[in-house]
Amino acid sequence: MTDDAIADGESHRLSRQDRALPSAAQWDHWHSTCYPRVVTHKEADLFYRHLSPRPGTAAVDLGCGNGQWTRQLARWGLRVRGYDFSQEALRQAHAATTGHNPGYASWDIAGSPALADMPTGTLDLATCRDALPYFHHPELLTQIARWLRPTGAFYALTNLTPQHAKRRPREFHRGLTLRELHTVGSNWPHRLVYRLSPQRYAVILRLQ
């Protein structure tokens, strides 16, 4: 497997429409008519084995959708907040949640990877399931590295798309090509990539 760089710097400067990203209204429609992928026992078991999440640690779930994974993190005792662009997704997430953990908030991560009220060095974990292909991940990972404590980690789950695909369609199950997958966090000190199924891959990044 190679770590060839991809020339994606221009993509962040293009508009949401030029990048063929779904609008908030399109995401709302999708969340009201479709059902996101469930969290499988295999995914949860491998995540727990590799990261051993400790109760009480601080986490964020980026592109949380209706909060299935956010709630899984909360069941392990993490203090977690989920962020999403879709108000319908957040409505469903709130409806499925009791108490104050997890919490949810609106954030157009694709439009602005920076979050002004996220203090530096305060997070133990950041996760991103199925949303990474919609973001400019080099810039987002730079932000996440600032938010994490030195012992913190980042976890992503993504589909794999054919290497020869000329462009990504405007749809709701985007993935990364193998080439793109191996650029995700390639400059982080510790990096683990593993396969959950033929077309589903997980990435774990650590600062130390």
Side-chain angles (χ1 to χ4, degrees):
M1 295 188 291
T2 65
D3 285 332
D4 295 337
I6 58 173
D8 58 359
E10 287 295 323
S11 65
H12 183 59
R13 290 193 286 272
L14 297 176
S15 70
R16 174 177 291 277
Q17 183 175 1
D18 289 337
R19 292 163 62 194
L21 295 178
S23 66
Q26 288 171 314
W27 278 117
D28 286 346
H29 177 72
W30 187 84
H31 281 286
S32 66
T33 58
C34 302
Y35 197 74
R37 296 178 188 272
V38 299
V39 177
T40 65
H41 291 300
K42 181 177 182 179
E43 180 188 0
D45 289 346
L46 285 171
F47 174 90
Y48 198 91
R49 184 186 310 171
H50 287 298
L51 288 172
S52 303
R54 296 193 304 271
T57 56
V60 294
D61 185 21
L62 307 178
C64 67
N66 68 3
Q68 293 184 74
W69 181 248
T70 325
R71 292 189 293 277
Q72 175 63 66
L73 295 175
R75 283 193 288 272
W76 283 323
L78 280 70
R79 295 180 293 108
V80 57
R81 177 173 289 270
Y83 292 94
D84 204 90
F85 188 38
S86 166
Q87 293 303 312
E88 173 60 22
L90 294 174
R91 184 196 67 77
Q92 294 178 21
H94 281 293
T97 299
T98 58
H100 300 290
N101 185 34
Y104 301 96
S106 177
W107 178 17
D108 180 9
I109 304 170
S112 177
L115 190 63
D117 63 351
M118 185 73 73
T120 299
T122 56
L123 281 182
D124 299 291
L125 175 69
T127 68
C128 183
R129 293 177 77 253
D130 293 316
L132 204 59
Y134 297 90
F135 305 148
H136 182 251
H137 62 77
E139 184 172 357
L140 179 61
L141 287 175
T142 297
Q143 297 292 338
I144 290 171
R146 295 191 183 112
W147 302 333
L148 290 176
R149 293 188 173 97
T151 56
F154 171 73
Y155 169 82
L157 183 70
T158 184
N159 290 332
L160 194 67
T161 60
Q163 187 80 24
H164 61 272
K166 295 183 182 299
R167 64 175 182 171
R168 298 189 180 101
R170 186 192 294 273
E171 40 76 14
F172 300 91
H173 287 293
R174 295 188 182 184
L176 300 176
T177 66
L178 188 61
R179 183 183 178 196
E180 290 170 325
L181 178 65
H182 290 289
T183 68
V184 175
S186 58
N187 60 338
W188 283 52
H190 299 280
R191 184 175 181 276
L192 173 67
V193 178
Y194 58 90
R195 188 170 68 175
L196 288 173
S197 72
Q199 299 302 321
R200 300 278 279 169
Y201 280 77
V203 180
I204 293 175
L205 306 177
R206 294 181 183 273
L207 294 174
Q208 66 178 38

